[in-house]
Amino acid sequence: MINILKKRQFRILLACISLLLLINMIQETYAKYISSANANSEFSIARWAFLVNTQDVLSNSDFSNTIIPTFDTDTNIATGVIAPTSTGYFDIVIDSSDVDVAFNETITLSQNEDNTVTDLVFTGYSLNNGQVVSLNNLTSTTITSSHALNEQNTVNTYRVYIAWNDNASTETMDNADDADAAVNGEAIIDININFIQSASSS
C-alpha cells in the first residue's frame, strides 16, 4: 500500500515538473514572436491664407485702407467726391493662391451704422470684368461663391458699383437732407468677407 502511495506521489511530482517545463517551453516559444516598434510622422498642413487687395487678412483683418472708390466723371461734380446723382465703383481683389482646400466665400455689403447718406446704394457688381449683375439699388446685399480645390483662377476681382440715388420715386432723402449731408453727413459702407472651408462630401 505504501508503495502504491509513493508511486502516485512520484507520478504527481513528475506531472507537475512536466507541466512547469511545458509552460516554460511555451513562454520561450511565444517570446520569439514578440516585438515592438516606435515611430513618428509629420503631416503637411493645408495652407489657408487669403489676400484681399494684396493685404494678408489673416494677420490684419481690417482692409479699409485698401478700398479705393472711383467716381465717374461728371462736369457738375468735383473729382473724387460723392454727391446726389454720383455713380462709381470700388474693387475687391481676392487672392486664394495659398489655399489648399475647397472653400465658400461670402461678401456682405451694407451701409455702416454711422452712414448718414441713406440714398447711398449698391447698383450692381461684376466678377473678373464679366457681365454686371444688377443689385437694383440695394442698401445691403450678399455675394456668395464656391471655389473648388485646384481651380485654375485663384485671383478674383469683384467690382462693386455704387450710386447716390436721386430718383424722386425711390430716394429716401429729400433736397434738404441732401444739402444737410453735404455739411454734416458721412457716406460709409461696410464690407465683410467670410471664408469657410467646404464640407467634405464623404
Side-chain angles (χ1 to χ4, degrees):
M1 183 73 173
I2 294 174
N3 282 341
I4 293 173
L5 287 175
K6 285 185 179 179
K7 284 183 179 179
R8 284 185 181 171
Q9 288 177 346
F10 178 74
R11 287 179 184 168
I12 291 171
L13 179 62
L14 185 61
C16 289
I17 292 171
S18 297
L19 182 61
L20 289 172
L21 288 172
L22 181 62
I23 291 171
N24 186 50
M25 288 173 60
I26 291 172
Q27 285 181 334
E28 287 181 358
T29 301
Y30 277 108
K32 293 177 182 178
Y33 297 101
I34 295 174
S35 61
S36 64
N38 293 297
N40 59 52
S41 180
E42 185 173 338
F43 299 96
S44 297
I45 299 174
R47 296 174 301 169
W48 181 259
F50 293 91
L51 300 180
V52 176
N53 292 2
T54 71
Q55 177 174 309
D56 182 350
V57 293
L58 296 186
S59 62
N60 182 8
S61 61
D62 184 355
F63 59 98
S64 301
N65 292 332
T66 71
I67 299 296
I68 303 171
T70 300
F71 297 106
D72 298 324
T73 302
D74 188 315
T75 56
N76 297 312
I77 302 173
T79 302
V81 297
I82 191 169
T85 72
S86 288
T87 58
Y89 65 87
F90 59 86
D91 290 336
I92 303 172
V93 182
I94 299 175
D95 185 344
S96 59
S97 301
D98 288 332
V99 176
D100 290 332
V101 296
F103 65 95
N104 296 319
E105 174 183 281
T106 303
I107 302 172
T108 302
L109 307 169
S110 60
Q111 292 184 356
N112 183 275
E113 61 181 12
D114 294 326
N115 175 64
T116 59
V117 182
T118 57
D119 282 336
L120 183 62
V121 294
F122 304 102
T123 62
Y125 76 92
S126 65
L127 175 59
N128 298 327
N129 294 319
Q131 184 176 357
V132 176
V133 177
S134 177
L135 295 177
N136 298 317
N137 295 340
L138 295 176
T139 56
S140 64
T141 190
T142 299
I143 303 168
T144 59
S145 61
S146 297
H147 300 271
L149 179 64
N150 298 325
E151 70 177 6
Q152 297 297 312
N153 194 12
T154 57
V155 179
N156 292 287
T157 300
Y158 293 88
R159 175 159 289 185
V160 179
Y161 296 91
I162 54 175
W164 184 323
N165 181 22
D166 198 43
N167 186 317
S169 62
T170 58
E171 66 182 353
T172 60
M173 301 169 65
D174 59 23
N175 290 338
D177 293 329
D178 291 345
D180 185 58
V183 178
N184 302 309
E186 291 186 285
I188 310 171
I189 60 170
D190 285 336
I191 306 164
N192 177 271
I193 306 176
N194 192 22
F195 304 105
I196 301 177
Q197 180 181 344
S198 299
S200 175
S201 57
S202 59

